[in-house]
Coordinates of all heavy atoms in Angstrom, one line a residue:
M27 N 0.9 -1.2 0.0 CA 0.0 0.0 0.0 C 0.9 1.2 0.0 O 0.6 2.2 -0.7 CB -0.9 0.0 1.2 CG -1.8 1.1 1.4 SD -3.1 1.0 0.1 CE -4.1 2.4 0.5
I28 N 1.9 1.2 0.8 CA 2.8 2.4 0.9 C 3.5 2.6 -0.4 O 3.8 3.7 -0.9 CB 3.8 2.2 2.1 CG1 3.0 2.3 3.4 CG2 4.8 3.3 2.0 CD1 3.9 2.0 4.6
H29 N 3.9 1.5 -1.1 CA 4.6 1.6 -2.4 C 3.7 2.2 -3.4 O 4.1 3.0 -4.2 CB 5.0 0.1 -2.8 CG 5.7 0.1 -4.1 ND1 6.9 0.7 -4.3 CD2 5.3 -0.4 -5.3 CE1 7.3 0.5 -5.6 NE2 6.3 -0.2 -6.2
L30 N 2.4 1.9 -3.4 CA 1.4 2.5 -4.4 C 1.3 4.0 -4.1 O 1.2 4.7 -5.0 CB 0.0 1.8 -4.2 CG -1.1 2.3 -5.1 CD1 -0.7 2.0 -6.6 CD2 -2.3 1.6 -4.8
L31 N 1.3 4.4 -2.8 CA 1.2 5.8 -2.5 C 2.4 6.6 -3.0 O 2.3 7.7 -3.4 CB 0.9 6.0 -1.0 CG -0.4 5.6 -0.5 CD1 -0.5 5.7 1.0 CD2 -1.5 6.5 -1.1
S32 N 3.6 6.0 -2.8 CA 4.8 6.6 -3.2 C 4.9 6.7 -4.7 O 5.4 7.8 -5.3 CB 6.0 5.9 -2.7 OG 6.2 4.6 -3.2
I33 N 4.4 5.7 -5.5 CA 4.3 5.8 -7.0 C 3.4 6.9 -7.4 O 3.7 7.7 -8.3 CB 3.9 4.5 -7.5 CG1 5.1 3.5 -7.3 CG2 3.6 4.6 -9.0 CD1 4.7 2.0 -7.7
T34 N 2.2 7.0 -6.7 CA 1.2 8.0 -7.1 C 1.8 9.4 -6.8 O 1.6 10.3 -7.6 CB -0.1 7.8 -6.3 OG1 -0.6 6.5 -6.5 CG2 -1.1 8.8 -6.7
A35 N 2.4 9.6 -5.7 CA 3.0 10.9 -5.3 C 4.1 11.3 -6.3 O 4.2 12.4 -6.7 CB 3.5 10.8 -3.9
S36 N 4.9 10.3 -6.7 CA 6.0 10.7 -7.7 C 5.4 11.0 -9.1 O 6.0 11.9 -9.7 CB 7.0 9.5 -7.8 OG 6.4 8.4 -8.4
V37 N 4.3 10.4 -9.4 CA 3.7 10.7 -10.8 C 3.1 12.1 -10.7 O 3.2 12.9 -11.7 CB 2.7 9.6 -11.1 CG1 1.9 10.1 -12.3 CG2 3.4 8.3 -11.4
L38 N 2.5 12.5 -9.6 CA 1.8 13.8 -9.5 C 2.8 14.9 -9.2 O 2.4 16.1 -9.3 CB 0.7 13.7 -8.5 CG -0.4 12.7 -8.8 CD1 -1.4 12.7 -7.6 CD2 -1.2 13.2 -10.0
H39 N 4.0 14.6 -8.8 CA 5.0 15.7 -8.4 C 5.4 16.5 -9.6 O 5.9 15.9 -10.6 CB 6.1 15.0 -7.7 CG 7.0 16.0 -6.9 ND1 6.6 16.6 -5.8 CD2 8.2 16.5 -7.3 CE1 7.6 17.4 -5.4 NE2 8.6 17.3 -6.3
P40 N 5.4 17.8 -9.6 CA 5.8 18.6 -10.7 C 7.4 18.6 -10.8 O 8.1 18.5 -9.8 CB 5.3 20.0 -10.4 CG 5.1 20.0 -8.9 CD 4.8 18.6 -8.5
D41 N 7.8 18.7 -12.0 CA 9.3 18.7 -12.3 C 9.9 20.0 -12.4 O 11.1 20.2 -12.7 CB 9.6 17.9 -13.6 CG 9.2 16.4 -13.5 OD1 9.3 15.9 -12.4 OD2 8.9 15.8 -14.5
D42 N 9.1 21.1 -12.2 CA 9.6 22.5 -12.4 C 10.5 22.8 -11.2 O 10.0 22.9 -10.0 CB 8.4 23.4 -12.5 CG 8.7 24.8 -12.9 OD1 9.9 25.1 -13.1 OD2 7.8 25.6 -13.1
P43 N 11.8 23.1 -11.4 CA 12.7 23.5 -10.3 C 12.4 24.9 -9.8 O 12.9 25.2 -8.7 CB 14.0 23.4 -11.0 CG 13.8 23.5 -12.4 CD 12.5 23.0 -12.7
S44 N 11.7 25.7 -10.5 CA 11.4 27.1 -10.1 C 10.4 27.2 -8.9 O 10.2 28.2 -8.3 CB 11.0 28.0 -11.2 OG 9.8 27.6 -11.7
L45 N 9.6 26.0 -8.8 CA 8.6 26.0 -7.7 C 9.3 25.8 -6.4 O 10.2 24.9 -6.2 CB 7.6 24.9 -8.0 CG 6.7 25.1 -9.2 CD1 5.9 23.8 -9.4 CD2 5.8 26.3 -9.1
S46 N 8.8 26.4 -5.3 CA 9.2 26.1 -4.0 C 8.6 24.8 -3.5 O 7.8 24.2 -4.2 CB 8.8 27.2 -3.0 OG 7.4 27.2 -2.8
E47 N 9.1 24.3 -2.4 CA 8.6 23.0 -1.9 C 7.1 23.1 -1.6 O 6.4 22.2 -1.9 CB 9.4 22.5 -0.7 CG 9.0 21.2 -0.2 CD 9.3 20.1 -1.2 OE1 10.3 20.2 -1.9 OE2 8.5 19.1 -1.2
R48 N 6.7 24.2 -1.0 CA 5.3 24.4 -0.7 C 4.4 24.4 -2.0 O 3.4 23.8 -2.0 CB 5.1 25.7 0.1 CG 3.7 26.0 0.5 CD 3.6 27.2 1.4 NE 2.2 27.5 1.8 CZ 1.5 28.4 1.2 NH1 2.0 29.2 0.3 NH2 0.3 28.6 1.7
E49 N 4.9 25.2 -3.0 CA 4.1 25.3 -4.2 C 4.1 23.9 -4.9 O 3.1 23.6 -5.5 CB 4.7 26.3 -5.1 CG 4.6 27.7 -4.7 CD 5.4 28.7 -5.5 OE1 6.5 28.3 -6.0 OE2 5.0 29.8 -5.6
S50 N 5.2 23.2 -4.8 CA 5.2 21.8 -5.4 C 4.2 20.9 -4.8 O 3.5 20.1 -5.5 CB 6.7 21.3 -5.3 OG 6.8 20.0 -5.9
V51 N 4.1 21.0 -3.5 CA 3.2 20.1 -2.8 C 1.7 20.5 -3.1 O 0.8 19.7 -3.3 CB 3.4 20.1 -1.3 CG1 2.3 19.5 -0.5 CG2 4.7 19.5 -0.9
Q52 N 1.5 21.8 -3.2 CA 0.1 22.3 -3.6 C -0.2 21.9 -5.0 O -1.4 21.5 -5.3 CB 0.1 23.8 -3.5 CG 0.1 24.3 -2.1 CD 0.0 25.9 -2.0 OE1 0.5 26.5 -2.9 NE2 -0.7 26.4 -1.0
V53 N 0.7 22.0 -5.9 CA 0.4 21.5 -7.3 C 0.1 20.0 -7.3 O -0.8 19.6 -8.0 CB 1.6 21.8 -8.3 CG1 1.4 21.1 -9.6 CG2 1.7 23.3 -8.5
Q54 N 0.8 19.3 -6.5 CA 0.6 17.8 -6.4 C -0.8 17.5 -5.9 O -1.5 16.7 -6.4 CB 1.6 17.2 -5.5 CG 1.7 15.7 -5.5 CD 2.9 15.2 -4.6 OE1 3.6 16.0 -4.0 NE2 3.1 14.0 -4.6
Q55 N -1.2 18.3 -4.9 CA -2.5 18.1 -4.3 C -3.7 18.5 -5.2 O -4.7 17.8 -5.3 CB -2.7 18.9 -3.0 CG -1.8 18.3 -1.8 CD -1.8 19.3 -0.7 OE1 -2.2 20.5 -0.7 NE2 -1.4 18.8 0.5
Y56 N -3.4 19.6 -6.0 CA -4.4 20.1 -6.9 C -4.6 19.2 -8.1 O -5.6 19.0 -8.6 CB -4.1 21.5 -7.3 CG -4.6 22.5 -6.3 CD1 -4.1 22.6 -5.1 CD2 -5.7 23.4 -6.6 CE1 -4.6 23.5 -4.1 CE2 -6.1 24.3 -5.7 CZ -5.6 24.3 -4.5 OH -6.0 25.2 -3.6
R57 N -3.4 18.6 -8.5 CA -3.5 17.6 -9.6 C -4.4 16.4 -9.2 O -5.2 16.0 -10.0 CB -2.1 17.1 -10.0 CG -1.3 18.1 -10.9 CD 0.0 17.5 -11.2 NE 0.7 18.4 -12.1 CZ 2.0 18.3 -12.4 NH1 2.7 17.3 -11.9 NH2 2.6 19.1 -13.3
L58 N -4.1 15.9 -8.0 CA -4.9 14.7 -7.5 C -6.4 15.2 -7.4 O -7.3 14.4 -7.8 CB -4.4 14.3 -6.2 CG -5.1 13.1 -5.6 CD1 -5.0 11.9 -6.5 CD2 -4.5 12.8 -4.2
S59 N -6.7 16.3 -6.8 CA -8.1 16.8 -6.7 C -8.8 16.9 -8.0 O -9.9 16.5 -8.2 CB -8.1 18.1 -5.9 OG -7.5 18.0 -4.6
S60 N -8.1 17.5 -9.0 CA -8.7 17.7 -10.3 C -9.0 16.4 -11.0 O -10.0 16.2 -11.6 CB -7.7 18.5 -11.2 OG -7.6 19.8 -10.7
L61 N -8.0 15.4 -10.9 CA -8.3 14.1 -11.5 C -9.4 13.4 -10.8 O -10.3 12.9 -11.5 CB -7.0 13.3 -11.4 CG -7.0 12.0 -12.1 CD1 -7.2 12.1 -13.6 CD2 -5.7 11.2 -11.9
L62 N -9.5 13.4 -9.5 CA -10.6 12.8 -8.8 C -11.9 13.4 -9.1 O -12.9 12.7 -9.4 CB -10.4 12.8 -7.3 CG -9.3 11.8 -6.8 CD1 -9.1 12.0 -5.3 CD2 -9.7 10.4 -7.1
A63 N -12.0 14.7 -9.1 CA -13.2 15.5 -9.5 C -13.7 15.2 -10.9 O -14.8 15.0 -11.2 CB -13.0 16.9 -9.3
A64 N -12.7 15.1 -11.8 CA -13.0 14.9 -13.3 C -13.6 13.5 -13.4 O -14.5 13.3 -14.3 CB -11.8 14.9 -14.1
V65 N -13.2 12.5 -12.6 CA -13.7 11.2 -12.7 C -15.1 11.0 -11.9 O -16.0 10.4 -12.4 CB -12.7 10.1 -12.1 CG1 -13.3 8.8 -12.0 CG2 -11.5 10.1 -13.0
L66 N -15.1 11.7 -10.7 CA -16.3 11.5 -9.9 C -17.5 12.3 -10.3 O -18.7 11.9 -10.0 CB -15.9 11.8 -8.4 CG -15.0 10.8 -7.8 CD1 -14.6 11.3 -6.4 CD2 -15.6 9.5 -7.8
L67 N -17.4 13.4 -11.0 CA -18.5 14.1 -11.5 C -19.5 13.3 -12.4 O -20.7 13.3 -12.1 CB -18.1 15.4 -12.2 CG -17.7 16.6 -11.4 CD1 -17.0 17.7 -12.2 CD2 -18.9 17.1 -10.7
P68 N -19.0 12.6 -13.4 CA -19.9 11.8 -14.1 C -20.5 10.6 -13.3 O -21.7 10.2 -13.5 CB -19.1 11.2 -15.3 CG -18.0 12.2 -15.4 CD -17.7 12.7 -14.1
V69 N -19.7 10.1 -12.4 CA -20.2 9.0 -11.5 C -21.4 9.6 -10.6 O -22.4 8.9 -10.4 CB -19.1 8.4 -10.7 CG1 -19.6 7.5 -9.6 CG2 -18.1 7.8 -11.6
F70 N -21.2 10.7 -10.1 CA -22.2 11.3 -9.3 C -23.5 11.5 -10.1 O -24.6 11.3 -9.6 CB -21.8 12.7 -8.7 CG -22.9 13.4 -8.0 CD1 -23.3 13.0 -6.7 CD2 -23.5 14.5 -8.6 CE1 -24.3 13.7 -6.1 CE2 -24.5 15.2 -7.9 CZ -24.9 14.8 -6.7
G71 N -23.4 11.9 -11.4 CA -24.6 12.0 -12.2 C -25.3 10.7 -12.4 O -26.5 10.7 -12.4
T72 N -24.6 9.6 -12.6 CA -25.2 8.3 -12.7 C -25.9 7.9 -11.4 O -27.1 7.4 -11.5 CB -24.1 7.3 -13.0 OG1 -23.4 7.7 -14.2 CG2 -24.7 5.9 -13.2
L73 N -25.3 8.1 -10.3 CA -25.9 7.9 -9.0 C -27.2 8.7 -8.8 O -28.2 8.3 -8.3 CB -24.9 8.0 -7.9 CG -23.8 7.1 -7.8 CD1 -22.8 7.5 -6.7 CD2 -24.2 5.7 -7.7
Y74 N -27.1 10.0 -9.2 CA -28.2 10.9 -9.2 C -29.4 10.4 -10.0 O -30.6 10.4 -9.5 CB -27.8 12.3 -9.5 CG -28.8 13.3 -9.3 CD1 -29.2 13.8 -8.1 CD2 -29.4 14.0 -10.4 CE1 -30.2 14.8 -7.9 CE2 -30.3 15.0 -10.2 CZ -30.7 15.4 -9.0 OH -31.6 16.4 -8.8
S75 N -29.1 9.9 -11.1 CA -30.2 9.4 -12.0 C -30.8 8.2 -11.4 O -32.0 7.9 -11.6 CB -29.8 9.3 -13.4 OG -28.8 8.2 -13.5
W76 N -30.0 7.3 -10.8 CA -30.5 6.1 -10.2 C -31.4 6.4 -9.0 O -32.4 5.8 -8.7 CB -29.4 5.2 -9.7 CG -28.8 4.4 -10.8 CD1 -29.2 4.3 -12.1 CD2 -27.5 3.7 -10.7 NE1 -28.3 3.6 -12.9 CE2 -27.3 3.2 -12.0 CE3 -26.7 3.4 -9.7 CZ2 -26.2 2.4 -12.3 CZ3 -25.6 2.6 -10.0 CH2 -25.3 2.1 -11.2
A77 N -31.0 7.5 -8.2 CA -31.8 7.8 -7.1 C -33.1 8.5 -7.4 O -34.1 8.2 -6.7 CB -31.0 8.8 -6.2
D78 N -33.2 9.3 -8.4 CA -34.4 9.9 -8.8 C -34.5 9.9 -10.3 O -34.1 10.9 -11.0 CB -34.5 11.3 -8.2 CG -35.8 12.0 -8.4 OD1 -36.8 11.3 -8.8 OD2 -35.9 13.2 -8.1
P79 N -35.1 9.0 -10.9 CA -35.2 8.9 -12.4 C -36.1 10.0 -13.0 O -35.9 10.3 -14.2 CB -35.9 7.5 -12.6 CG -35.8 6.8 -11.4 CD -35.7 7.8 -10.3
Q80 N -36.9 10.7 -12.2 CA -37.8 11.7 -12.8 C -37.1 13.1 -12.7 O -37.6 14.0 -13.3 CB -39.0 11.8 -11.9 CG -39.9 10.6 -11.9 CD -40.4 10.2 -13.3 OE1 -40.7 11.1 -14.1 NE2 -40.5 8.9 -13.5
A81 N -35.9 13.2 -12.1 CA -35.2 14.5 -12.0 C -34.6 14.9 -13.3 O -34.2 14.1 -14.1 CB -34.1 14.4 -10.9
V82 N -34.6 16.3 -13.5 CA -34.0 16.8 -14.7 C -32.5 17.1 -14.4 O -32.2 17.8 -13.4 CB -34.7 18.1 -15.1 CG1 -34.0 18.8 -16.2 CG2 -36.1 17.9 -15.4
D83 N -31.7 16.4 -15.1 CA -30.2 16.6 -14.8 C -29.5 16.8 -16.1 O -29.3 15.9 -17.0 CB -29.8 15.2 -14.2 CG -28.3 15.3 -13.9 OD1 -27.8 16.4 -13.5 OD2 -27.7 14.2 -13.9
P84 N -29.1 18.0 -16.4 CA -28.3 18.4 -17.6 C -26.9 17.8 -17.5 O -26.0 18.3 -16.9 CB -28.3 19.9 -17.6 CG -28.5 20.3 -16.2 CD -29.3 19.2 -15.5
A85 N -26.7 16.6 -18.1 CA -25.5 15.9 -18.1 C -24.3 16.7 -18.8 O -23.2 16.5 -18.4 CB -25.6 14.5 -18.7
W86 N -24.7 17.5 -19.7 CA -23.7 18.2 -20.5 C -22.9 19.2 -19.6 O -21.7 19.4 -19.8 CB -24.2 19.0 -21.7 CG -25.1 20.1 -21.3 CD1 -26.5 20.0 -21.1 CD2 -24.8 21.5 -21.1 NE1 -27.0 21.3 -20.8 CE2 -25.9 22.2 -20.8 CE3 -23.5 22.2 -21.2 CZ2 -25.9 23.6 -20.5 CZ3 -23.6 23.5 -20.9 CH2 -24.7 24.2 -20.7
I87 N -23.5 19.7 -18.5 CA -22.8 20.6 -17.6 C -21.8 19.8 -16.8 O -20.6 20.3 -16.7 CB -23.8 21.3 -16.7 CG1 -24.7 22.2 -17.4 CG2 -23.1 22.0 -15.5 CD1 -25.8 22.8 -16.6
R88 N -22.2 18.7 -16.3 CA -21.2 17.8 -15.6 C -20.1 17.4 -16.5 O -18.9 17.4 -16.1 CB -21.9 16.6 -15.0 CG -22.4 16.9 -13.6 CD -23.0 15.6 -13.0 NE -24.3 15.2 -13.6 CZ -24.4 14.2 -14.6 NH1 -23.4 13.6 -15.0 NH2 -25.6 14.0 -15.1
L89 N -20.4 17.0 -17.7 CA -19.3 16.5 -18.6 C -18.4 17.7 -19.1 O -17.2 17.5 -19.2 CB -20.0 15.9 -19.9 CG -20.7 14.6 -19.6 CD1 -21.3 14.0 -20.8 CD2 -19.7 13.5 -19.1
A90 N -19.0 18.9 -19.2 CA -18.1 20.0 -19.6 C -17.2 20.4 -18.4 O -16.0 20.7 -18.6 CB -19.0 21.2 -19.9
L91 N -17.7 20.4 -17.2 CA -16.9 20.7 -16.0 C -15.8 19.6 -15.8 O -14.7 19.9 -15.5 CB -17.8 20.8 -14.8 CG -17.1 21.2 -13.5 CD1 -16.4 22.6 -13.7 CD2 -18.1 21.3 -12.4
S92 N -16.2 18.3 -16.1 CA -15.2 17.2 -16.0 C -14.1 17.4 -17.0 O -13.0 17.2 -16.7 CB -16.0 15.9 -16.1 OG -15.1 14.9 -16.0
G93 N -14.5 17.8 -18.2 CA -13.5 18.0 -19.3 C -12.6 19.2 -18.9 O -11.4 19.1 -19.3
L94 N -13.2 20.2 -18.4 CA -12.4 21.4 -18.0 C -11.3 21.0 -16.9 O -10.1 21.3 -17.1 CB -13.2 22.5 -17.4 CG -12.5 23.8 -17.0 CD1 -12.0 24.5 -18.2 CD2 -13.5 24.7 -16.2
L95 N -11.7 20.2 -16.0 CA -10.8 19.8 -14.9 C -9.7 18.8 -15.5 O -8.6 18.9 -15.1 CB -11.6 19.1 -13.8 CG -12.4 20.1 -12.9 CD1 -13.3 19.3 -12.0 CD2 -11.5 21.0 -12.1
L96 N -10.2 17.9 -16.3 CA -9.2 17.0 -17.0 C -8.2 17.8 -17.8 O -7.0 17.5 -17.9 CB -9.9 16.0 -17.8 CG -9.2 14.8 -18.3 CD1 -8.6 14.0 -17.1 CD2 -10.0 13.9 -19.1
G97 N -8.7 18.8 -18.5 CA -7.8 19.6 -19.4 C -6.8 20.4 -18.5 O -5.6 20.5 -18.9
L98 N -7.2 20.9 -17.4 CA -6.3 21.5 -16.5 C -5.3 20.6 -15.9 O -4.1 20.9 -15.8 CB -7.1 22.2 -15.3 CG -6.4 23.1 -14.4 CD1 -5.8 24.3 -15.1 CD2 -7.4 23.6 -13.3
F99 N -5.7 19.4 -15.6 CA -4.8 18.4 -15.1 C -3.7 18.1 -16.2 O -2.5 18.1 -15.8 CB -5.6 17.1 -14.8 CG -4.7 15.9 -14.4 CD1 -4.2 15.9 -13.1 CD2 -4.5 14.9 -15.3 CE1 -3.3 14.8 -12.8 CE2 -3.8 13.8 -15.0 CZ -3.1 13.7 -13.7
V100 N -4.1 17.8 -17.4 CA -3.2 17.5 -18.5 C -2.3 18.7 -18.8 O -1.1 18.6 -19.0 CB -3.9 17.0 -19.7 CG1 -3.0 16.9 -20.9 CG2 -4.6 15.7 -19.4
G101 N -2.9 19.9 -18.8 CA -2.2 21.1 -19.0 C -1.1 21.4 -18.0 O -0.1 22.0 -18.3
S102 N -1.3 21.0 -16.8 CA -0.3 21.2 -15.8 C 1.0 20.3 -16.1 O 2.1 20.7 -15.5 CB -0.8 20.9 -14.4 OG -1.0 19.5 -14.2
Y103 N 0.9 19.3 -16.8 CA 2.0 18.5 -17.2 C 2.7 19.0 -18.5 O 3.9 19.0 -18.7 CB 1.6 17.1 -17.5 CG 1.4 16.2 -16.2 CD1 0.1 15.9 -15.8 CD2 2.5 15.8 -15.5 CE1 -0.1 15.2 -14.6 CE2 2.3 15.0 -14.3 CZ 1.0 14.8 -13.9 OH 0.8 14.0 -12.8
L104 N 1.9 19.6 -19.4 CA 2.4 20.0 -20.7 C 3.0 21.4 -20.7 O 3.9 21.7 -21.5 CB 1.2 19.9 -21.7 CG 0.7 18.5 -22.0 CD1 -0.4 18.5 -23.0 CD2 1.8 17.5 -22.4
S105 N 2.5 22.3 -19.9 CA 2.9 23.7 -19.9 C 3.5 24.1 -18.6 O 2.8 23.9 -17.5 CB 1.6 24.6 -20.3 OG 2.0 25.9 -20.1
D106 N 4.7 24.7 -18.6 CA 5.2 25.2 -17.4 C 4.4 26.4 -16.8 O 4.3 26.5 -15.6 CB 6.7 25.6 -17.6 CG 7.6 24.4 -17.8 OD1 7.3 23.4 -17.3 OD2 8.7 24.7 -18.4
R107 N 3.9 27.1 -17.7 CA 3.1 28.3 -17.3 C 1.8 27.9 -16.5 O 1.5 28.4 -15.4 CB 2.7 29.1 -18.5 CG 1.9 30.4 -18.2 CD 1.7 31.2 -19.4 NE 0.9 32.4 -19.1 CZ 0.3 33.1 -19.9 NH1 0.3 32.8 -21.2 NH2 -0.4 34.1 -19.5
V108 N 1.2 26.8 -17.0 CA 0.0 26.3 -16.3 C 0.4 25.7 -15.0 O -0.3 25.9 -14.0 CB -0.8 25.3 -17.2 CG1 -1.9 24.6 -16.4 CG2 -1.3 25.9 -18.4
C109 N 1.5 25.0 -14.9 CA 2.0 24.4 -13.7 C 2.3 25.5 -12.6 O 1.9 25.3 -11.5 CB 3.2 23.6 -14.0 SG 3.7 22.6 -12.5
R110 N 2.9 26.6 -13.0 CA 3.3 27.6 -12.1 C 2.0 28.4 -11.6 O 2.0 28.8 -10.5 CB 4.2 28.6 -12.7 CG 5.6 28.2 -12.7 CD 6.6 29.3 -13.1 NE 6.2 30.0 -14.4 CZ 6.6 29.6 -15.6 NH1 7.3 28.5 -15.7 NH2 6.2 30.2 -16.7
N111 N 1.0 28.4 -12.4 CA -0.3 29.2 -12.1 C -1.4 28.2 -11.7 O -2.5 28.7 -11.6 CB -0.7 30.1 -13.2 CG 0.3 31.2 -13.5 OD1 0.8 31.8 -12.6 ND2 0.7 31.4 -14.8
Y112 N -1.1 27.0 -11.5 CA -2.1 26.0 -11.3 C -3.0 26.2 -10.0 O -4.1 26.2 -10.0 CB -1.5 24.6 -11.2 CG -2.4 23.4 -11.3 CD1 -3.6 23.5 -12.1 CD2 -2.2 22.3 -10.6 CE1 -4.4 22.4 -12.2 CE2 -3.0 21.2 -10.8 CZ -4.1 21.3 -11.5 OH -4.9 20.2 -11.6
V113 N -2.2 26.6 -8.9 CA -2.9 26.8 -7.7 C -3.7 28.1 -7.7 O -4.9 28.1 -7.3 CB -1.9 26.8 -6.5 CG1 -2.6 27.2 -5.2 CG2 -1.2 25.4 -6.4
P114 N -3.2 29.2 -8.2 CA -4.1 30.4 -8.3 C -5.3 30.2 -9.2 O -6.3 30.9 -9.1 CB -3.1 31.5 -8.8 CG -1.8 31.0 -8.4 CD -1.8 29.6 -8.5
L115 N -5.1 29.4 -10.3 CA -6.2 29.2 -11.2 C -7.4 28.5 -10.6 O -8.6 28.7 -10.9 CB -5.8 28.4 -12.4 CG -5.0 29.1 -13.5 CD1 -4.5 28.1 -14.5 CD2 -5.8 30.2 -14.1
T116 N -7.1 27.5 -9.7 CA -8.2 26.8 -9.0 C -8.4 27.3 -7.7 O -9.3 27.7 -7.2 CB -7.8 25.3 -8.9 OG1 -6.6 25.2 -8.2 CG2 -7.7 24.6 -10.3

């Protein structure tokens, strides 16, 4: 279990040397939060529709928000600018 956590932490850790240790940990936490939220938003919609089939639920809003969070997650790996501004953006 500890090995799995260390692998996850190393994958989410930013490689930008200009970030302080505090900023690096914050980027790591925000990456994990964005990834979890991007996955859990559609899951929540499915559970919501099971709980109340008559409810009006615009799935496109959840999917758009999930896509935005996933794009921010991927962008933090591809762009140094996004990585440096990741915490203030969210």
Side-chain angles (χ1 to χ4, degrees):
M27 181 71 176
I28 294 173
H29 181 66
L30 181 63
L31 289 174
S32 66
I33 290 172
T34 304
S36 67
V37 169
L38 295 174
H39 192 74
D41 295 331
D42 192 357
S44 67
L45 294 173
S46 69
E47 185 62 32
R48 180 175 182 256
E49 292 171 330
S50 180
V51 169
Q52 285 180 329
V53 168
Q54 191 175 7
Q55 291 172 346
Y56 276 67
R57 281 179 175 173
L58 180 62
S59 299
S60 295
L61 185 61
L62 286 174
V65 170
L66 291 177
L67 276 170
V69 171
F70 175 74
T72 304
L73 294 175
Y74 186 66
S75 67
W76 284 349
D78 188 8
Q80 302 295 329
V82 176
D83 182 30
W86 68 271
I87 294 174
R88 271 187 288 99
L89 292 176
L91 188 57
S92 180
L94 179 69
L95 289 169
L96 193 60
L98 188 60
F99 173 77
V100 171
S102 72
Y103 283 104
L104 299 178
S105 172
D106 289 336
R107 184 175 178 198
V108 173
C109 187
R110 281 191 306 274
N111 296 315
Y112 194 36
V113 175
L115 283 174
T116 54

